[in-house]
């Protein structure tokens, strides 16, 4: 917070400026026809199905209702099937892009950042349009979304505006490596895009401050408050507390089949991330994700609370 | 009829015996639960070790005798698994000693189903390894690992810190 306090007006101006510059579709992307087929791949890489389907209660695909327990309250994911009444059937492509990349609903209201638009804002023009094209092909489900169970002050949607001002950097990824000294080669760039934008890995694997902003100094170093109230492990290359002992192949293979090099299954939500997401990605993309993770600066951090009784 | 003189003494002796039996039975069953938890952890640990071998084979597409043996060993272990989960040995009864969720006993048929699926899936890995087809090993192990994942996701609680 302190880093912005010196020049809040300038920061605000920069925010609005980047919103206008970074988020508008480029002319090139608009010229290309969106493809539902490519969108299916983006859909898997982005892990939409895992959160927007209440699989524990046999909910229909993307009909929402899954409970996301966070330290701020319980969020219920909304119905994002193409149903015109209860889903996103009436949304234009522009509505969809604004929701995914800016966290703003078609009626202008703010989405809570439980929806990881903080990551999806980095999604490319082509990918977000393909994603829209794909989601529109899925079966509509006429089921109302469930209201969130979140206490004051986090239930004030207008507060999200302030939260975004503090914690949301809209727009695409920079063309250089700002995370480490590693070269921003093609594989690394693809890996960063998959991990940071689509995969939104940091949303669980990076710890948050009291207001729910990511502590970027502990990027991917694990969090006590991961999904489902469980801790999320450190995935930086620290050999003791992270996954430094894993080879690139080990990482790619774990994302493909859901098993660690120790022969253990990946835990809780990660099993679903693999099932609905990373297991469907190409070997090249998994290798790129591994290359990105291995190039991160190693951070010593062991998340995890004592077992609950 | 000669006992009719002191029925109360007989009754109290019987009660003492019964209470003693119940206590010892109760103690034994808690011990059994602890022992079962320890034993199944050892079994899971060996599953993990064999899976390491299998993961290496699956990554490289290797079909050899060591791969077949590891898969057969896990398959055999799967058969014995449900018996190592006696009622009352979940994390609700033994907090800090086991990650087994109480849902296991509420859905024991399903739990057993996973063990059966696991047994079949690892038999497939062994079959693939014996046939010498490395690509088949990779495919079969991917399926088997998904069974491990599915059951762990549903029935295994958080890591014990």
């Amino acid at each position: 917070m302190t880093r912005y306090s010196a020049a809040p007006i300038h920061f605000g101006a920069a925010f609005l400026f980047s919103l206008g510059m970074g988020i508008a579709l480029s002319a090139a992307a608009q010229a290309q026809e969106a493809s539902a087929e490519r969108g299916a791949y983006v859909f898997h890489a982005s892990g939409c199905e895992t959160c927007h389907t209440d699989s524990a209660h046999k909910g229909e695909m993307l009909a929402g209702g899954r409970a996301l327990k966070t330290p701020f309250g319980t969020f219920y994911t909304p119905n994002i099937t193409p149903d015109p009444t209860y889903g996103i059937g009436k949304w234009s492509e522009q509505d969809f892009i604004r929701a995914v990349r800016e966290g703003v609903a078609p009626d202008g209201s703010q989405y809570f950042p439980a929806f990881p638009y903080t990551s999806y804002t980095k999604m490319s023009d082509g990918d977000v349009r393909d994603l829209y094209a794909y989601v529109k092909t899925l079966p509509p489900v006429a089921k109302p979304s469930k209201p969130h169970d979140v206490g004051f002050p986090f239930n004030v949607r207008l507060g999200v505006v302030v939260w975004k001002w503090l914690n949301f950097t809209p727009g695409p990824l920079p063309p250089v490596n700002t995370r480490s000294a590693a070269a921003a080669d093609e594989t690394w760039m693809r890996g960063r895009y998959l991990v940071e934008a689509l995969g939104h890995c940091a949303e669980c694997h990076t710890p948050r401050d009291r207001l729910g902003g990511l502590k970027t100094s502990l990027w991917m170093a694990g969090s006590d408050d991961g999904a489902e109230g469980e801790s999320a492990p450190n995935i930086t290359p620290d050999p003791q507390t992270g996954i430094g002992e894993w080879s690139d192949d080990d990482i790619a293979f774990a994302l493909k089949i859901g098993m660690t090099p120790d022969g253990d299954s990946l835990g809780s939500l990660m099993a679903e991330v693999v099932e609905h997401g990373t297991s469907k990605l190409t070997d090249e993309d998994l290798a790129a994700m591994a290359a990105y993770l291995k190039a991160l600066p190693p951070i010593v951090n062991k998340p995890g609370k004592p077992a609950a009784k | 009829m000669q006992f009719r003189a002191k029925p109360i003494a007989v009754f109290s002796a019987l009660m003492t015996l019964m209470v003693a039996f119940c206590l010892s039975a109760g103690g034994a069953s808690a011990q059994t639960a602890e022992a079962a938890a320890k034993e199944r952890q050892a079994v899971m640990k060996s599953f993990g070790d064999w899976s390491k071998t299998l993961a290496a084979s699956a990554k490289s597409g290797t079909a050899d005798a060591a791969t077949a043996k590891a898969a057969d060993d896990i398959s055999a272990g799967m058969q014995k698994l449900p018996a190592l989960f006696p009622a009352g040995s979940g994390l609700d009864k033994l907090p800090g000693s086991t990650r087994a969720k109480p849902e296991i006993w509420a859905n024991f048929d399903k739990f057993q189903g996973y063990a059966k699926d696991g047994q079949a899936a690892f038999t497939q890995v062994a079959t693939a390894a014996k046939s010498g087809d490395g690509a088949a090993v990779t495919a079969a192990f991917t399926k088997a690992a998904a069974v491990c994942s599915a059951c762990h996701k549903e029935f295994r609680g958080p890591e014990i810190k």
Side-chain angles (χ1 to χ4, degrees), chain A residues 250 253 261-262 264-265 305, chain B residues 48 52 59 141 152 156 161:
Chain A
D250 286 339
F253 198 65
D262 304 328
D264 194 0
S265 304
K305 291 175 279 196
Chain B
K52 264 194 236 181
K59 261 190 278 188
F141 183 64
H152 284 151
R156 180 166 69 163
K161 302 283 179 198

Side-chain angles (χ1 to χ4, degrees), chain A residues 252-267:
Chain A
F253 198 65
L255 291 172
K256 188 161 197 75
I257 73 161
M259 193 178 268
T260 70
D262 304 328
D264 194 0
S265 304
L266 291 176

Side-chain angles (χ1 to χ4, degrees), chain A residues 119-197:
Chain A
S119 295
Y120 294 157
T121 191
K122 300 161 182 169
M123 200 182 289
S124 73
D125 293 346
D127 278 357
V128 72
R129 292 187 65 219
D130 291 345
L131 181 60
Y132 173 74
Y134 174 68
V135 171
K136 293 285 274 183
T137 65
L138 296 171
V141 179
K143 182 181 137 190
S145 297
K146 200 171 167 180
H148 301 311
D149 183 10
V150 178
F152 186 81
F154 301 107
N155 57 351
V156 181
R157 275 186 194 265
L158 209 58
V160 176
V161 175
V162 179
W163 187 91
K164 279 171 137 177
W165 185 76
L166 290 168
N167 298 303
F168 179 45
T169 312
L173 287 159
V176 291
N177 186 348
T178 53
R179 298 269 175 227
S180 69
D185 63 32
E186 220 169 280
T187 303
W188 183 90
M189 295 279 273
R190 177 68 182 161
R192 178 183 63 165
Y193 178 70
L194 287 162
V195 170
E196 291 196 19

